[in-house]
Amino acid sequence: MTEGNFVDYVKIHVTSGNGGAGSAHLHREKFIEKGGPDGGDGGRGGHIIIKGNKNLWTLLHLKFKRHLRAGHGGNGAKSRSTGHDGQDEYIEVPLGTTLKDSETDKVIFEITEDGQEFIAAEGGMGGRGNWHFKSSTNQTPRYAQSGIDGYEVSLTLELKVLADVGLVGYPNVGKSTLLAAITAAKPKIANYEFTTLKPNLGIVQYRDFRSFVMADIPGIIEGAAEGKGIGHRFLRHIERNSTLLFMIPADADSIAGQYDVLLHELQKYNPEMLDKSRIIAITKSDMLDDELKAELTEELDRELPIPYLFISSVTQQGLTELKDALWKMLNEE
């Protein structure tokens, strides 16, 4: 999927259907005098239903269709005939989509399973026909209820990518290169910062036909939680990842310092990020000889509080060990 086709934020306005009016019909038939009321009920208005679809990866289909309406309920008729229900309007969204009220910014619901449904706006109830109102003192009611109008609501849909492992790092540290090396994904790769402008997903094939999903988001810089760079907009895509893979290049001025900056940005954005399991991949390790690697290992053992590995996506160094470590972390109790 090209970057321009990835849409993870959209606002829509939805209107459910009006309920149908009840009927005030009086029964008329040959040889039957004063047949009495027999007006039927109106049908309910159509619902606006949000439905999860595992085959969707973006909200692109809603980008140019912002106003959606459900069908109106039919009116009641004679012989206690109920009007038809209005046609429901289904809005299919990718898994990981969060629904918010656009006016209050309050989270209403989250779609996380395929086929999961949520009624975002209920259709109006149909009015009751006049046969409901007959009594011993009012045997010929000539009135019925009108249907209830549908509901209008403005919704904000935000997609938070569902992945097992999220890649976290500065721009141009090799996140996209790693994704391309161990998955079938083909992200844009170039030797300049902010090459990645949209999240990319890839499926990592593991042993015995097992697999897990990896997500690459645009690079994070210091101050991203306040909106610097472009990382702030996409930080929500790693909120659902169970494991975070921090990627720091071997030639960084301070690997531990860069890790602290990244962790601090995640904490400022959402403190719950610190509850996720974490591991560090030292990228571009093909530049290190054995002596430099030994010195760096001694230094990192003192400074880093979490596990780390040396990898090189270009030479495939350490990628098998990385997949083993990630699979173990994903399956720990």
Side-chain angles (χ1 to χ4, degrees), residues 23-26 37-41 77-81 129-132:
S23 170
H25 188 268
L26 299 176
D38 72 342
D41 301 339
K78 63 182 181 179
S79 302
R80 298 187 184 181
S81 297
N130 64 347
W131 73 273
H132 286 283

Side-chain angles (χ1 to χ4, degrees), residues 1 45 52 66 74 143 188 194 242 264 273 287 289:
M1 180 176 294
R66 303 291 182 90
Y143 53 84
K188 182 179 180 181
F194 296 116
S242 57
H264 184 57
M273 293 275 201
M287 300 186 301
D289 57 25

Side-chain angles (χ1 to χ4, degrees), residues 75-102:
N75 296 332
K78 63 182 181 179
S79 302
R80 298 187 184 181
S81 297
T82 302
H84 64 82
D85 290 342
Q87 184 173 356
D88 297 331
E89 177 70 24
Y90 284 86
I91 303 174
E92 295 192 336
V93 297
L95 306 189
T97 300
T98 300
L99 280 68
K100 291 183 178 180
D101 187 308
S102 297

Side-chain angles (χ1 to χ4, degrees), residues 16-35:
S16 61
N18 300 333
S23 170
H25 188 268
L26 299 176
H27 185 75
R28 291 180 176 84
E29 188 175 347
K30 191 175 182 180
F31 306 122
I32 297 180
E33 296 181 1
K34 299 180 180 180

Side-chain angles (χ1 to χ4, degrees), residues 164-165 204-213 243 279 320-332:
D164 300 303
V165 178
V204 180
Q205 299 295 334
Y206 193 60
R207 298 186 180 97
D208 301 325
F209 304 102
R210 294 173 293 183
S211 63
F212 56 90
V213 180
T243 296
I279 186 173
T320 300
E321 292 80 0
L322 177 62
K323 289 193 284 187
D324 288 340
L326 291 173
W327 181 261
K328 182 179 178 181
M329 296 180 77
L330 290 172
N331 290 275
E332 285 179 346

Side-chain angles (χ1 to χ4, degrees), residues 112-128:
T112 57
E113 299 178 7
D114 184 45
Q116 186 178 13
E117 295 183 1
F118 173 73
I119 300 177
E122 290 188 355
M125 290 179 59
R128 294 195 296 176

